[in-house]
């Protein structure tokens, strides 16, 4: 399953670098917590602050997020007034998710935090109360994996197929004007 995702990812990257010259900008539009079906073990209390939409708040992991869980990552793009399935739609184990995906493309860099910052520190992601202040996601290594416009990412943590919490965010990709 992860190979399928990787293929889609590489394909998009190739398409993007060959067809786009412009730089792009990523803006967070919203970020919200996803509750569990019967219990919520991973609680995100995050807000976007100010014009720069800095990610701020706390995250509570009531148990270790270890390999007994699965992470589901789904993307959607907003097209012609509807959310349609995006290229990324995978279910993988947490270590793989944090090491190969989160740390590479979505690592939140706060000015102050007690969150783990490296892949090995996130494997397993230990139970705890975490906080972060004024976080930004570095997009400098991003291939434009997503469509221009609005994109939604939904990350849920599953145990035996049941959602036990997660987070969803919407970002807007804006291509910067390039002068000829
Ligand atoms: C930002 O997050 C920190 C840490 O969780 C919190 O103490 C602070 O009140 C938050 N600031 C705002 C404006 O929400
Ligand atoms: C998953 O949810 C269903 C429906 O609420 C429940 O019957 C089942 O016991 C849950 N499984 C686990 C492992 O908690």
């Amino acid at each position: 399953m992860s190979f399928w995702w990787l293929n889609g990812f590489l394909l998009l990257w190739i398409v993007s670098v060959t067809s786009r010259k412009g730089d792009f900008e990523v803006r967070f539009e919203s970020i919200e917590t996803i509750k569990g079906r019967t219990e919520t073990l991973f609680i995100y209390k995050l807000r976007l602050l100010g014009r720069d939409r800095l990610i701020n708040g706390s995250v509570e992991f009531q148990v270790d997020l270890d390999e007994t869980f699965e992470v589901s990552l789904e993307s959607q793009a907003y097209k012609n007034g509807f959310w349609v399935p995006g290229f990324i739609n995978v279910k993988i184990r947490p270590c793989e998710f944090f090491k190969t995906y989160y740390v590479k493309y979505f690592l939140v860099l706060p000015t102050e935090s007690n969150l783990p910052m490296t892949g090995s520190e996130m494997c397993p992601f230990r139970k705890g109360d975490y906080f972060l202040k004024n976080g930004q996601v570095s997009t400098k290594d991003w291939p434009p994996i997503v469509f221009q416009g609005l994109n939604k990412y939904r990350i849920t943590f599953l145990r035996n197929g049941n959602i036990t919490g997660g987070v969803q965010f919407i970002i807007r990709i804006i291509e910067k004007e390039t002068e000829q």
Side-chain angles (χ1 to χ4, degrees):
M1 225 137 57
S2 50
F3 287 111
W4 176 85
W5 164 75
L6 195 63
N7 283 336
F9 191 88
L10 288 175
L11 181 74
L12 257 179
W13 184 71
I14 291 161
V15 169
S16 314
V17 282
T18 53
S19 67
R20 270 197 214 175
K21 293 198 171 62
D23 206 355
F24 61 98
E25 185 185 310
V26 176
R27 180 186 151 88
F28 273 78
E29 295 291 332
S30 73
I31 188 160
E32 52 192 84
T33 194
I34 296 173
K35 288 215 172 81
R37 181 175 174 160
T38 51
E39 54 178 354
T40 307
L41 304 173
F42 309 99
I43 302 162
Y44 286 80
K45 293 177 189 157
L46 301 175
R47 290 174 55 196
L48 297 170
L49 297 182
R51 214 167 17 155
D52 293 333
R53 320 293 278 175
L54 300 173
I55 303 169
N56 199 82
S58 64
V59 180
E60 190 186 326
F61 276 28
Q62 293 180 352
V63 297
D64 287 354
L65 179 54
D66 61 20
E67 299 293 277
T68 61
F69 288 85
E70 278 184 307
V71 180
S72 162
L73 170 63
E74 297 155 81
S75 69
Q76 291 188 304
Y78 195 70
K79 289 198 167 161
N80 306 318
F82 297 98
W83 287 106
V84 298
F87 275 82
I88 301 169
N89 186 6
V90 289
K91 219 180 262 181
I92 49 181
R93 294 290 169 187
C95 283
E96 191 185 352
F97 170 76
F98 286 113
K99 284 184 175 169
T100 66
Y101 193 81
Y102 176 75
V103 167
K104 265 196 181 130
Y105 300 109
F106 279 108
L107 184 63
V108 178
L109 301 169
T111 55
E112 211 184 301
S113 178
N114 62 349
L115 277 167
M117 285 292 150
T118 65
S120 47
E121 287 170 340
M122 295 175 196
C123 183
F125 204 119
R126 292 289 177 197
K127 158 184 179 173
D129 291 323
Y130 301 102
F131 73 94
L132 62 156
K133 284 185 184 166
N134 303 333
Q136 274 180 300
V137 174
S138 164
T139 54
K140 74 175 165 50
D141 295 330
W142 269 30
I145 46 169
V146 279
F147 303 99
Q148 262 188 69
L150 292 174
N151 292 270
K152 190 193 288 184
Y153 288 91
R154 186 181 151 86
I155 297 165
T156 48
F157 305 124
L158 310 170
R159 187 156 69 180
N160 301 317
N162 289 342
I163 293 179
T164 55
V167 64
Q168 170 173 301
F169 54 88
I170 295 174
I171 53 179
R172 187 188 293 276
I173 310 289
I174 306 154
E175 193 164 359
K176 287 182 184 162
E177 298 288 326
T178 45
E179 292 183 19
Q180 290 295 344

